[in-house]
Amino acid sequence: MFKSLILIILFFKFCTSLDTLTTNKYIKDGQSLISKGNNFALGFFSPGNSSYKYLGICYVKVTPQTIVWVANRNHPIIDSSGVLSINQYGDLVLHDSNNRPLWSTNVSVQDQVTTSPVAQLHDSGNLVLVQDNNKKVLWQSFDHPTDTLLPNMKLGLNLKTRINTFLTSWKSKDDPGTGNYCYKMNLNGSPQVFLYNGSTPYWRNTLSPGNNVSIATSSSGQKFFFVNNQDEISSYYSDDDPSIMTRVVLDNTGLLQKLMWDDGVHQWKEQWSTPRYQSDKYGHCGSYGKCNPDNINRFECMCLLGYEPKSPRDWYLRDSSKGCVRKNSGLSMCKNGEGFVKLEHLKLPDSSIDAALIGTSMSSSECEQACLTNCSCTAFTSMNTDGKGTGCLAWYGELIDILQYTDVGSELNVRVDATELAKYTRKSKRSLSKKRKLAIALVSIAVPMFLVSLLAYIWLAKKKKTKVKRKVHKQSLNFASTRGSFEGHELEDGSTHPDLPIFDLSCIVAATENFSPTNKLGQGGFGSVFKGQLSNGQHIAVKRLSKSSRQGIEEFKNELMLIAKLQHRNLVKLLGCCIPEDETMLIYEYMPNKSLDSIIFDHTRASFLNWKKRFEIILGIARGILYLHQDSRLKIIHRDLKASNVLLDTEMNPKISDFGMARIFKEDQTQDKTTRVVGTYGYMSPEYVIFGQFSTKSDVFSFGVILLEIVSGRKNCDSYQKHPSQNLIGYGNYGEKIELWI
Ligand SMILES: *[C@@H]1O[C@H](CO)[C@@H](O)[C@H](O)[C@H]1NC(C)=O
Ligand SMILES: *[C@@H]1O[C@H](CO)[C@@H](O)[C@H](O)[C@H]1NC(C)=O
Ligand SMILES: *[C@@H]1O[C@H](CO)[C@@H](O)[C@H](O)[C@H]1NC(C)=O
Ligand SMILES: *[C@@H]1O[C@H](CO)[C@@H](O)[C@H](O)[C@H]1NC(C)=O
Ligand SMILES: *[C@@H]1O[C@H](CO)[C@@H](O)[C@H](O)[C@H]1NC(C)=O
């Protein structure tokens, strides 16, 4: 019984599948054309939830059904009546029940009487229509791809047939109709491949220009070929192991993916995909902007050398869409002492807009000369063309979609005016001599260092106890010395940031009269604050992390890192730090009017604060918070805003201080959660106290409390309350009036 069933199935399969389609045969719904090695099948299918039928090619051994090509993508068959055959003109034609042609190869061979064309499906997934015993290929599906690129299938322009092959996405998972996205080669300027959304570029890839055949091999054994000769300008890929099934597909959301079939788990596994991040997208940093996706802590966009953000405000808010403009736009860059600055390891700007390959055998200096003499030339690159010489690619308009790589990529010479050129040459000289000095210093230090550290190691192994103690100190020291890498506020990499000064302990001791109690300004959670005066007369406030407080080290590091990166009129200014043996100190500018709480809650001092002044203080605090939350490069939640953390300078300008608890948020992050709720009761928002959730909103809550305190002159949580549960916020609930202490 079982055996006969298998026989029936085998018979059925044999009956309904062909390996060659000839003029006297046809394929109906339920039948298929199978490739010789049983890799691919051509037949009728219904994608997703669709009830329509399409003729397509799929993998034989892969379930769920994976379609790699569709014939009648925009002309579905509404029932099961589709028939594929070869007509009297030698064309492959698909008909529906009314004998209406829905799709055709449309090659119309006239002399098919003598040699009838036949259709075959190759093991590569290519459906071919051939004549004269496979000698003449009349038509092939590889020349008319849908959304899938198979190994050895070429994408690009065949210069003989003038056929430009490109991928187009499906409309949706249920509809293989021509969708919005396409992946296509663009030959303007120098060959590039674009992913378009409609007609707008969405992602771009440069191809090494001018080469006859270039091959790039990835670590997983895939080879990428780029062919540029008299016959074709195309690219394709192949895999080392032909038994592995791979495909590149442009899906209906615009994602280009390379997938590999994993036989073990019966799933397609992604090998790579693009565009993955916002920064991958075409022109993410605008014109004359450069994207550096490796910038983790900073804004990934930078202006090219000699350019600055068109809208600095938008740029600070990390909106780079307006791009950059030339710095000294008044200064002519035409026969006016201008020159070129070489930038390395770049993805070259889009050359399809306003660029041209001006020569194939020009040397680098000839190329430079050619660009220099044409005043509209903005940049050039000179590249290798198969060892025959060097080609010269020049841009005559905006430079867009530039990416910074770390070690790969091309070099671009950007035209800059005389002042920028002078600045740049000075700087590069300086950094060169700096590097040389460093090398000499390293060699002369390294050898004795090794001997010393060997001795030290032997000595230290005996004294483990002291080692543990040192570690804490070293951590903070390392931290301070890496300060230079936390860039400040410059908009591009051109200018450097001075290091955070490290004060000598003796100078701090002298300034604070050996931390005399008379100079003590206050006692914080992690240590004390002392007033001092430097030898140059400048007043300082020294925040000293107590030796006993081990726990404070994290907060201290946090504060150092944050405050060093921030600069605003309404934030307290860090002057430097001092890191002697197992101790850490931060040095701030001194605020003669102390903290806000020492004034507003003090009857006599508060009387000096009129409404105007109070309003200005409120406004200043708000400005500081706005800067933290949105105007600075980082998004920072302070988490401990309170009256005692707002300091006042001589003009009574408020300055927010104490960033020990602050957290950096990612650009798009709105909320975070902590199990360790730190802050001050009375200023913390309910969701923070109860659930540990904090966001910009929790800071705004604290600001609200400070505002109430400034207006009312009363502490939010005070012991004078009649109702223990009642505080300043709850006042209104009881219908009482707040008696103002002004
Ligand atoms: C088909 O429809 C079902 C139910 O309506 C849905 O869950 C599923 O995602 C659909 N499949 C596709 C490929 O759209
Ligand atoms: C067939 O090709 C001719 C020109 O080569 C074109 O005009 C015609 O529209 C095509 N027909 C179909 C059905 O694609
Ligand atoms: C493609 O363009 C359309 C229309 O402009 C837009 O709605 C869509 O979000 C774009 N797709 C992507 C992935 O950006
Ligand atoms: C360059 O292309 C020609 C065909 O135009 C080909 O014969 C030759 O082998 C190619 N050279 C290399 C190095 O691939
Ligand atoms: C500069 O190059 C552009 C683009 O090739 C060209 O249109 C223009 O005529 C050139 N100008 C001069 C002065 O050579």
Side-chain angles (χ1 to χ4, degrees):
M1 167 73 195
F2 212 73
K3 257 187 186 167
S4 59
L5 193 69
I6 289 172
L7 272 178
I8 289 169
I9 289 172
L10 276 177
F11 177 74
F12 186 72
K13 199 164 181 189
F14 183 73
C15 224
T16 54
S17 61
L18 307 169
D19 57 4
T20 309
L21 186 65
T22 52
T23 31
N24 52 3
K25 289 184 186 154
Y26 58 84
I27 293 171
K28 283 200 305 191
D29 199 351
Q31 301 177 330
S32 54
L33 185 68
I34 305 265
S35 73
K36 232 179 214 157
N38 209 22
N39 283 359
F40 289 95
L42 172 79
F44 293 89
F45 71 99
S46 295
N49 289 339
S50 172
S51 58
Y52 293 151
K53 291 279 182 179
Y54 296 87
L55 177 72
I57 299 173
C58 67
Y59 292 92
V60 173
K61 295 166 202 153
V62 170
T63 41
Q65 190 181 53
T66 306
I67 310 293
V68 298
W69 182 77
V70 185
N72 56 325
R73 64 186 307 186
N74 292 314
H75 302 280
I77 310 160
I78 50 170
D79 49 26
S80 311
S81 63
V83 176
L84 177 75
S85 60
I86 294 175
N87 70 4
Q88 72 264 38
Y89 305 111
D91 274 319
L92 263 176
V93 191
L94 177 66
H95 289 280
D96 67 359
S97 54
N98 302 323
N99 215 20
R100 218 169 22 156
L102 294 174
W103 171 85
S104 150
T105 53
N106 200 14
V107 284
S108 297
V109 204
Q110 296 309 323
D111 59 350
Q112 44 85 34
V113 185
T114 48
T115 52
S116 313
V118 295
Q120 278 171 344
L121 186 58
H122 288 176
D123 272 326
S124 57
N126 193 8
L127 175 68
V128 290
L129 186 64
V130 288
Q131 207 179 10
D132 294 343
N133 281 327
N134 296 354
K135 283 201 196 80
K136 192 173 172 200
V137 176
L138 300 170
W139 179 94
Q140 56 177 344
S141 67
F142 270 20
D143 287 342
H144 307 269
T146 51
D147 68 338
T148 305
L149 193 70
L150 292 170
N152 299 311
M153 177 169 164
K154 285 175 177 175
L155 199 87
L157 189 68
N158 184 325
L159 295 169
K160 283 192 172 145
T161 61
R162 305 304 301 178
I163 292 175
N164 191 5
T165 49
F166 56 91
L167 303 182
T168 332
S169 67
W170 285 22
K171 275 202 174 106
S172 71
K173 287 206 162 33
D174 308 322
D175 184 359
T178 307
N180 241 348
Y181 301 93
C182 77
Y183 183 58
K184 192 174 188 174
M185 198 175 277
N186 186 326
L187 300 176
N188 291 339
S190 138
Q192 305 175 95
V193 221
F194 278 83
L195 185 58
Y196 292 97
N197 178 3
S199 56
T200 27
Y202 178 44
W203 178 80
R204 181 181 65 102
N205 198 9
T206 54
L207 298 164
S208 51
N211 277 9
N212 191 5
V213 177
S214 58
I215 306 168
T217 310
S218 81
S219 55
S220 50
Q222 317 161 41
K223 285 194 177 74
F224 298 93
F225 297 84
F226 171 61
V227 186
N228 185 358
N229 56 31
Q230 309 94 294
D231 302 336
E232 58 186 302
I233 300 170
S234 65
S235 75
Y236 61 98
Y237 82 94
S238 73
D239 291 293
D240 263 359
D241 183 353
S243 67
I244 297 171
M245 286 183 271
T246 63
R247 64 192 170 113
V248 173
V249 62
L250 177 60
D251 81 3
N252 61 306
T253 63
L255 189 72
L256 189 73
Q257 272 179 311
K258 168 97 192 274
L259 300 164
M260 187 184 84
W261 180 252
D262 188 331
D263 233 356
V265 293
H266 282 85
Q267 260 177 6
W268 288 101
K269 288 268 170 73
E270 184 184 286
Q271 290 186 308
W272 52 257
S273 68
T274 196
R276 291 176 74 172
Y277 309 105
Q278 197 63 29
S279 56
D280 286 348
K281 291 185 184 157
Y282 180 86
H284 173 63
C285 292
S287 34
Y288 305 104
K290 175 174 81 171
C291 184
N292 187 351
D294 293 331
N295 260 353
I296 295 157
N297 277 323
R298 298 169 53 191
F299 185 26
E300 64 273 14
C301 290
M302 276 171 191
C303 288
L304 287 180
L305 208 109
Y307 290 83
E308 62 192 0
K310 189 167 183 187
S311 162
R313 191 190 146 76
D314 289 345
W315 200 268
Y316 271 121
L317 295 175
R318 299 192 167 201
D319 172 2
S320 52
S321 57
K322 292 200 177 68
C324 308
V325 289
R326 249 189 72 207
K327 256 183 197 159
N328 316 315
S329 50
L331 194 63
S332 162
M333 273 210 300
C334 188
K335 301 184 175 68
N336 196 21
E338 72 274 11
F340 294 95
V341 166
K342 189 202 284 180
L343 307 176
E344 284 176 308
H345 306 308
L346 295 184
K347 169 177 170 182
L348 291 174
D350 185 1
S351 65
S352 71
I353 309 168
D354 217 349
L357 196 61
I358 53 176
T360 47
S361 55
M362 284 166 99
S363 71
S364 184
S365 57
E366 282 169 337
C367 188
E368 174 167 349
Q369 207 48 42
C371 185
L372 194 64
T373 46
N374 187 328
C375 291
S376 49
C377 182
T378 46
F380 75 90
T381 187
S382 92
M383 64 240 167
N384 232 338
T385 50
D386 204 23
K388 286 189 214 106
T390 44
C392 179
L393 181 62
W395 281 261
Y396 297 98
E398 65 165 6
L399 306 171
I400 195 166
D401 198 33
I402 305 166
L403 218 64
Q404 179 76 60
Y405 301 120
T406 44
D407 44 6
V408 292
S410 317
E411 63 174 56
L412 181 73
N413 299 276
V414 178
R415 192 188 197 108
V416 293
D417 60 49
T419 28
E420 281 299 317
L421 187 66
K423 229 194 281 176
Y424 175 77
T425 21
R426 221 173 30 239
K427 200 175 281 163
S428 59
K429 252 188 213 151
R430 206 169 52 211
S431 74
L432 200 72
S433 65
K434 234 189 216 167
K435 265 184 203 159
R436 199 175 296 143
K437 268 185 207 158
L438 191 71
I440 295 166
L442 277 179
V443 171
S444 56
I445 288 171
V447 176
M449 260 303 244
F450 176 72
L451 294 174
V452 170
S453 49
L454 194 71
L455 286 174
Y457 176 75
I458 298 164
W459 183 68
L460 274 177
K462 288 180 189 162
K463 301 190 88 180
K464 266 198 177 153
K465 240 183 179 177
T466 43
K467 205 171 153 195
V468 176
K469 215 174 166 191
R470 288 266 160 84
K471 214 170 166 187
V472 178
H473 160 62
K474 220 176 139 197
Q475 235 176 8
S476 52
L477 187 70
N478 280 347
F479 192 77
S481 60
T482 54
R483 159 70 192 88
S485 64
F486 292 115
E487 296 280 353
H489 312 275
E490 70 282 355
L491 298 170
E492 49 140 88
D493 52 346
S495 50
T496 52
H497 196 284
D499 265 354
L500 186 71
I502 296 188
F503 286 79
D504 199 39
L505 177 64
S506 60
C507 121
I508 301 300
V509 167
T512 57
E513 294 164 330
N514 199 12
F515 302 105
S516 102
T518 54
N519 279 336
K520 193 160 172 173
L521 291 170
Q523 178 84 35
F526 315 112
S528 338
V529 182
F530 294 89
K531 181 188 164 177
Q533 189 173 18
L534 295 177
S535 51
N536 66 5
Q538 187 181 14
H539 289 280
I540 55 168
V542 180
K543 190 168 165 182
R544 188 184 193 190
L545 187 71
S546 59
K547 287 181 199 173
S548 56
S549 167
R550 270 282 168 79
Q551 172 218 7
I553 194 86
E554 276 309 311
E555 283 79 3
F556 179 86
K557 276 167 67 174
N558 195 30
E559 171 147 27
L560 183 58
M561 184 181 86
L562 275 174
I563 195 83
K565 281 195 226 183
L566 300 172
Q567 231 170 45
H568 190 267
R569 280 186 324 132
N570 297 108
L571 300 187
V572 71
K573 192 173 164 201
L574 182 70
L575 299 175
C577 60
C578 175
I579 308 156
E581 279 293 288
D582 55 276
E583 215 183 340
T584 31
M585 286 176 242
L586 290 180
I587 293 107
Y588 288 99
E589 58 178 339
Y590 175 64
M591 292 289 137
N593 279 320
K594 306 224 172 91
S595 57
L596 187 62
D597 63 333
S598 70
I599 295 194
I600 54 172
F601 304 137
D602 182 314
H603 267 271
T604 46
R605 292 190 73 197
S607 59
F608 296 115
L609 278 186
N610 57 20
W611 281 118
K612 189 168 174 285
K613 205 77 231 173
R614 282 174 199 240
F615 180 66
E616 279 166 9
I617 290 172
I618 292 168
L619 221 58
I621 300 169
R623 265 193 222 109
I625 296 172
L626 186 68
Y627 173 76
L628 290 177
H629 286 181
Q630 106 180 168
D631 287 353
S632 74
R633 191 176 276 168
L634 306 160
K635 183 172 178 177
I636 290 154
I637 315 297
H638 186 285
R639 295 209 298 164
D640 197 17
L641 285 171
K642 54 182 173 183
S644 59
N645 278 341
V646 175
L647 305 179
L648 298 163
D649 70 3
T650 28
E651 272 87 47
M652 287 292 198
N653 291 315
K655 306 218 173 201
I656 298 170
S657 75
D658 201 343
F659 287 79
M661 244 86 89
R663 286 286 174 274
I664 304 177
F665 268 26
K666 287 185 207 87
E667 201 181 342
D668 53 352
Q669 188 181 358
T670 53
Q671 184 171 300
D672 201 353
K673 225 178 134 115
T674 180
T675 47
R676 200 175 139 237
V677 174
V678 286
T680 308
Y681 282 103
Y683 291 94
M684 291 190 283
S685 62
E687 79 276 6
Y688 180 41
V689 178
I690 300 166
F691 304 113
Q693 288 172 354
F694 60 96
S695 64
T696 51
K697 289 175 190 165
S698 33
D699 274 359
V700 172
F701 184 92
S702 313
F703 170 70
V705 176
I706 297 174
L707 193 142
L708 281 178
E709 288 180 334
I710 295 173
V711 172
S712 69
R714 284 171 184 253
K715 276 193 180 138
N716 182 23
C717 297
D718 222 345
S719 51
Y720 62 76
Q721 286 165 6
K722 290 169 218 143
H723 312 280
S725 65
Q726 192 186 337
N727 53 25
L728 205 49
I729 301 165
Y731 247 89
N733 296 340
Y734 296 84
E736 293 171 44
K737 278 182 199 154
I738 300 176
E739 181 194 328
L740 301 178
W741 287 4
I742 300 168

